Amino acid sequence: MARPPTVPDNERDMSYGIVTEQITRFETELRLESGRILGPIEIAYETYGTLNEARSNAILVTHAWTGNAHLAGRYSEEEKRAGWWDEIVGPGKLLDTERYFVICSNVIGSCFGSTGPTSINPKTGKRYNLTFPVITVRDMVSAQALLMDRLGIERLFCVLGGSMGGMQALEWATQLPDRVASAVILAATPRPSAQAISLNAVARWAIFNDPNWKKGEYRKNPKDGLALARGIGHITFLSDESMTAKFDRRFSARDGQFDFFGQFEVERYLNYNGYNFVDRFDANSFLYLAKALDLYDVSSGCESMDEAFAPVSAKLQFFAFSSDWLYPPPQTEEMVASLERLDKQVEYHLITSSYGHDSFLLEHETFTPLVQAFLDKVRF
Amino acid sequence: MARPPTVPDNERDMSYGIVTEQITRFETELRLESGRILGPIEIAYETYGTLNEARSNAILVTHAWTGNAHLAGRYSEEEKRAGWWDEIVGPGKLLDTERYFVICSNVIGSCFGSTGPTSINPKTGKRYNLTFPVITVRDMVSAQALLMDRLGIERLFCVLGGSMGGMQALEWATQLPDRVASAVILAATPRPSAQAISLNAVARWAIFNDPNWKKGEYRKNPKDGLALARGIGHITFLSDESMTAKFDRRFSARDGQFDFFGQFEVERYLNYNGYNFVDRFDANSFLYLAKALDLYDVSSGCESMDEAFAPVSAKLQFFAFSSDWLYPPPQTEEMVASLERLDKQVEYHLITSSYGHDSFLLEHETFTPLVQAFLDKVRF
């Protein structure tokens, strides 16, 4: 019998196909929310589908904390896994690439091609490390706007994202209201709560504690601290229910229950995933983006949430997930209530799901038809 | 004007007064649940009030993770703070020392006078450190039973405790049913869930990551790792609601919001308390007790919870707290349902409180009258 292909044929058929990452450089300096200046900057991005003549079919997908521009498709036939949200992008999929021009760019501050703490500061010839300025979600969106200018996109048909991606969609709708016709916001929050901040705080602390972090001046990622930080984050992305379903209280078959270093299955899983993460994400980027998450407040610079939402002209669709304890549904509902008070075009769906905050990545079947119907109603 | 006294007069009047910690040594070796042997062992304890002639008025209060035997009163007039649960123990208080003989002992595995990893192993003349055997809550109770034998107490009027203290009360009721007339169990669980285990797992990991931990062979507490471990634990003891009430998203007045090392108030608080904790608790003890918590299962060795509760003869009173997300109310309710199926004498109260798991220490006014009424019904 022939060996099965690495990628199942049916999946390959549905996928966008081969994509190329592009990196574009802006000589312009970006004035950050902090007042500091960042530049020149580079932005890594990918596009799928074709921009129509009216330039009216562009959808920007905004990624979460540790995401990147590789939204869908494969860089080569050999690449085992397609982009991170391949399930919803491609011909005939939710973000139908026969119809839309889909863009995904890596946020500034990250480590996947866009300017961040691992980049070389052109003024010094050295890596920024901690000389990189603190950035905010608003700054990420300012950088994305430069990219849209360059692509000749005056107005986006839609911005869609979950978690930190949802925060970016909110910033597009509130800060650049003329440039976006609609936004889909999943598993986001108007501002993380004290508990959410405290969980990021202990994740930061784990990195600060690692002597290999060297105040950001490491050559090799400080693996123990970063793996632990990721382990803490991982807990916040899941739910007690999903962890119980997957691991319950099972003890690792390799360990004795009464061994001092014996591990529960859930413990081993967090450990294993934490150390895997070290190979693909930079510790300083992790810290800068954690900070951006904690600082996020849709009402920043305004007296109230209503004031923040007043300029919105886009149609907005919100999704919250019942088991998301990091950004729980009432936080989304607070935004929806504000938008309803302001008579904005807003739609809200509470999805019952056991997967916690990560539901937005795992439960796409539940929201796909709803987003589909929403996009069909958007008139450019 | 005269300076106010260190302890307010009204508080002093209500307090038990001066107490002395006692340490007693058992040459007997304890067979642990793991099959390993521990001994000789020492147990640190305090008593309040007088044992009556019938030896029928003894109440054992069992402490939580980082607690100790210093339940109430003061070691000297100068001691600023009374024992950890002074609010409920003393003349005229819930555990009325004019009526009851109240005992509190430090659990084995801890670092406050009872045998634990910081103790000298008499066989080697060195600190146990990681040669200390993994112990369970059941083992803690076996050691307490030795103490009761020595004090001449055949049967306890009541065992009362919260969190890990509640687990000990459960073990008394299920493993030594003839030796306890009643038990009050607050903020406990029949077994921690996968999420609760995972939060302890990352706390352990924080200590393991600290190079000063040296696989348990440190001379000085590994402060960065232990402080972080405590910080993680601290989050689980509180609730989002109580953290929001206390800190919300306030940024430390000392820091700039856009400083890389700038802290939110809640972050500073966790940091400050974490480093304070290092001065009063041993890292290895923290690890051994975290393990005991995770391993806890009231049904251990039984086919079902009903089988575990079948031998119970004591009257049981349970309290759960609405905002406790570490050991959430449904976990207590599962025990209550099992006991009701078995026609045991059981009483349950769900207390509405915003203080999270720590509610049991902070909300004593809410449960005091209910425990009072319960104890009044207990016939020895």
Side-chain angles (χ1 to χ4, degrees):
Chain A
M1 266 165 53
R3 286 179 59 192
T6 319
V7 181
D9 277 340
N10 58 346
E11 194 188 322
R12 196 180 294 270
D13 288 342
M14 306 264 311
S15 182
Y16 181 73
I18 302 301
V19 290
T20 317
E21 188 191 57
Q22 298 170 70
I23 294 187
T24 186
R25 185 180 169 90
F26 298 87
E27 295 304 327
T28 343
E29 289 188 319
L30 202 64
R31 173 170 288 276
L32 302 172
E33 209 180 341
S34 62
R36 286 183 67 180
I37 295 292
L38 179 67
I41 61 167
E42 294 190 330
I43 296 183
Y45 69 100
E46 298 184 14
T47 68
Y48 320 84
T50 312
L51 188 61
N52 62 12
E53 223 165 299
R55 300 175 177 276
S56 64
N57 68 334
I59 294 183
L60 174 66
V61 177
T62 44
H63 70 70
W65 194 351
T66 62
N68 55 40
H70 192 31
L71 175 65
R74 288 182 168 78
Y75 292 142
S76 69
E77 289 288 340
E78 288 69 41
E79 194 182 7
K80 275 193 181 172
R81 290 184 63 175
W84 58 271
W85 221 352
D86 194 75
E87 295 89 346
I88 68 162
V89 181
K93 297 188 187 176
L94 173 61
L95 306 187
D96 188 348
T97 48
E98 318 255 287
R99 189 173 170 191
Y100 300 116
F101 179 60
V102 181
I103 309 150
C104 185
S105 71
N106 186 220
V107 297
I108 57 167
S110 179
C111 52
F112 294 117
S114 292
T115 299
T118 61
S119 305
I120 301 297
N121 179 349
K123 291 178 185 98
T124 63
K126 290 188 201 158
R127 270 171 66 142
Y128 280 104
N129 295 338
L130 299 200
T131 68
F132 195 76
V134 165
I135 54 152
T136 65
V137 174
R138 196 162 291 177
D139 298 329
M140 297 172 192
V141 168
S142 304
Q144 285 161 356
L146 292 178
L147 176 63
M148 296 311 124
D149 293 345
R150 180 152 298 173
L151 296 174
I153 297 161
E154 180 66 32
R155 191 154 181 255
L156 287 158
F157 180 75
C158 184
V159 181
L160 179 150
S163 193
M164 191 179 84
M167 295 172 180
Q168 292 164 69
L170 286 167
E171 289 303 296
W172 272 96
T174 53
Q175 299 300 310
L176 303 162
D178 300 335
R179 301 199 65 174
V180 54
S182 70
V184 180
I185 297 130
L186 304 111
T189 176
R191 47 188 140 50
S193 70
Q195 188 182 61
I197 291 169
S198 72
L199 288 156
N200 276 357
V202 290
R204 276 192 279 278
W205 191 349
I207 296 173
F208 296 162
N209 271 0
D210 190 329
N212 293 317
W213 180 60
K214 302 176 200 286
K215 296 223 162 178
E217 294 291 325
Y218 49 86
R219 286 190 182 199
K220 282 180 65 179
N221 237 352
K223 65 182 172 64
D224 295 329
L226 181 57
L228 170 53
R230 175 61 168 187
I232 294 167
H234 208 137
I235 297 170
T236 69
F237 304 152
L238 306 179
S239 72
D240 196 10
E241 197 181 340
S242 65
M243 284 176 135
T244 298
K246 192 162 180 178
F247 306 105
D248 201 1
R249 292 176 43 85
R250 279 195 306 284
F251 215 77
S252 167
R254 295 190 231 174
D255 300 334
Q257 198 179 359
F258 297 108
D259 292 353
F260 181 81
F261 289 105
Q263 288 186 316
F264 286 86
E265 285 284 1
V266 67
E267 189 165 11
R268 183 178 294 279
Y269 171 82
L270 292 174
N271 220 260
Y272 177 82
N273 278 281
Y275 281 99
N276 265 352
F277 181 70
V278 171
D279 298 330
R280 65 181 176 87
F281 210 83
D282 171 66
N284 287 341
S285 277
F286 186 90
L287 292 167
Y288 276 93
L289 298 186
K291 187 98 190 170
L293 285 164
D294 290 352
L295 288 176
Y296 186 66
D297 186 348
V298 73
S299 312
S300 171
C302 296
E303 293 289 314
S304 68
M305 195 178 286
D306 284 10
E307 187 187 327
F309 282 133
V312 170
S313 60
K315 275 190 161 61
L316 301 182
Q317 188 185 41
F318 286 88
F319 289 91
F321 298 87
S322 58
S323 57
D324 183 351
W325 61 282
L326 185 63
Y327 300 157
Q331 296 181 9
T332 288
E333 287 155 15
E334 194 187 341
M335 294 191 278
V336 173
S338 168
L339 288 156
E340 282 174 346
R341 268 195 304 274
L342 296 164
D343 257 336
K344 302 290 178 183
Q345 299 173 84
V346 59
E347 191 181 305
Y348 169 61
H349 302 282
L350 173 60
I351 305 285
T352 302
S353 168
S354 66
Y355 293 109
H357 185 63
D358 264 357
S359 298
F360 83 93
L361 287 170
L362 300 168
E363 291 273 33
H364 55 91
E365 296 91 345
T366 60
F367 59 78
T368 288
L370 296 162
V371 177
Q372 188 87 67
F374 171 77
L375 292 180
D376 286 344
K377 283 182 293 185
V378 177
R379 291 285 161 270
F380 192 72
Chain B
M1 265 167 55
R3 289 178 56 194
T6 317
V7 180
D9 278 341
N10 58 345
E11 194 189 320
R12 194 181 292 272
D13 287 343
M14 304 266 309
S15 181
Y16 182 71
I18 302 302
V19 291
T20 316
E21 187 191 60
Q22 298 170 72
I23 294 186
T24 185
R25 185 182 171 90
F26 299 87
E27 295 304 327
T28 342
E29 290 187 320
L30 202 64
R31 173 169 287 276
L32 302 173
E33 209 180 340
S34 63
R36 285 182 68 181
I37 294 292
L38 180 66
I41 61 167
E42 294 190 328
I43 295 182
Y45 69 100
E46 297 184 14
T47 67
Y48 319 84
T50 311
L51 187 62
N52 63 12
E53 221 164 301
R55 299 173 176 275
S56 65
N57 68 334
I59 294 182
L60 175 67
V61 177
T62 45
H63 69 73
W65 194 351
T66 61
N68 55 40
H70 191 33
L71 175 65
R74 289 180 167 78
Y75 293 143
S76 70
E77 289 289 338
E78 287 70 39
E79 195 182 7
K80 276 193 181 171
R81 291 184 62 176
W84 57 273
W85 222 352
D86 194 75
E87 295 88 345
I88 68 162
V89 181
K93 296 188 187 176
L94 173 60
L95 306 187
D96 187 347
T97 47
E98 317 255 286
R99 189 172 169 190
Y100 300 116
F101 178 61
V102 181
I103 309 149
C104 185
S105 71
N106 185 220
V107 298
I108 57 167
S110 180
C111 52
F112 294 117
S114 293
T115 299
T118 60
S119 305
I120 301 297
N121 179 349
K123 291 180 184 96
T124 63
K126 290 189 203 157
R127 269 171 68 143
Y128 278 105
N129 294 337
L130 299 199
T131 69
F132 194 77
V134 165
I135 54 152
T136 65
V137 174
R138 196 161 291 177
D139 297 330
M140 296 171 194
V141 168
S142 304
Q144 283 160 357
L146 293 178
L147 176 64
M148 295 312 125
D149 293 344
R150 181 151 300 172
L151 295 175
I153 297 162
E154 179 66 31
R155 191 155 182 256
L156 287 158
F157 180 75
C158 184
V159 181
L160 179 151
S163 193
M164 191 178 85
M167 295 172 179
Q168 292 164 66
L170 285 167
E171 290 303 296
W172 272 96
T174 53
Q175 300 299 311
L176 303 163
D178 300 335
R179 300 198 65 175
V180 54
S182 70
V184 179
I185 298 129
L186 303 112
T189 177
R191 50 189 136 52
S193 71
Q195 188 181 63
I197 291 170
S198 72
L199 288 157
N200 276 356
V202 290
R204 277 193 279 276
W205 192 350
I207 295 172
F208 296 162
N209 271 0
D210 190 329
N212 293 317
W213 180 59
K214 302 173 199 284
K215 297 224 164 179
E217 293 292 325
Y218 50 85
R219 286 190 182 197
K220 282 180 66 180
N221 237 353
K223 65 184 172 61
D224 295 328
L226 181 56
L228 171 53
R230 175 61 169 187
I232 295 167
H234 208 136
I235 296 170
T236 70
F237 304 151
L238 307 179
S239 71
D240 196 11
E241 197 181 340
S242 66
M243 284 175 135
T244 298
K246 193 162 180 177
F247 306 105
D248 202 2
R249 292 174 45 83
R250 277 194 307 283
F251 215 78
S252 169
R254 294 191 232 176
D255 301 335
Q257 199 179 359
F258 297 108
D259 292 354
F260 180 81
F261 289 104
Q263 289 187 316
F264 286 86
E265 284 285 2
V266 67
E267 189 165 11
R268 182 178 294 280
Y269 171 82
L270 291 174
N271 220 261
Y272 176 82
N273 278 281
Y275 281 98
N276 264 353
F277 181 70
V278 170
D279 298 329
R280 65 180 177 86
F281 210 83
D282 171 68
N284 287 340
S285 277
F286 186 90
L287 291 167
Y288 276 93
L289 298 186
K291 186 99 189 169
L293 285 164
D294 289 352
L295 289 175
Y296 186 67
D297 186 348
V298 72
S299 311
S300 171
C302 296
E303 294 289 315
S304 67
M305 196 178 284
D306 284 10
E307 186 186 327
F309 281 133
V312 170
S313 60
K315 274 190 163 62
L316 301 182
Q317 188 184 41
F318 287 87
F319 289 91
F321 298 87
S322 58
S323 57
D324 183 352
W325 62 284
L326 186 63
Y327 300 157
Q331 297 181 7
T332 288
E333 287 155 16
E334 194 188 341
M335 295 192 277
V336 173
S338 168
L339 288 156
E340 282 174 346
R341 270 196 302 275
L342 296 164
D343 258 334
K344 303 291 179 181
Q345 299 172 86
V346 60
E347 192 180 306
Y348 169 61
H349 302 280
L350 173 60
I351 305 286
T352 302
S353 169
S354 65
Y355 293 109
H357 185 63
D358 265 356
S359 298
F360 82 92
L361 287 170
L362 299 168
E363 289 274 32
H364 56 90
E365 296 89 345
T366 60
F367 60 77
T368 289
L370 296 161
V371 176
Q372 187 86 67
F374 172 77
L375 292 179
D376 285 345
K377 282 183 294 189
V378 177
R379 290 283 161 272
F380 193 74

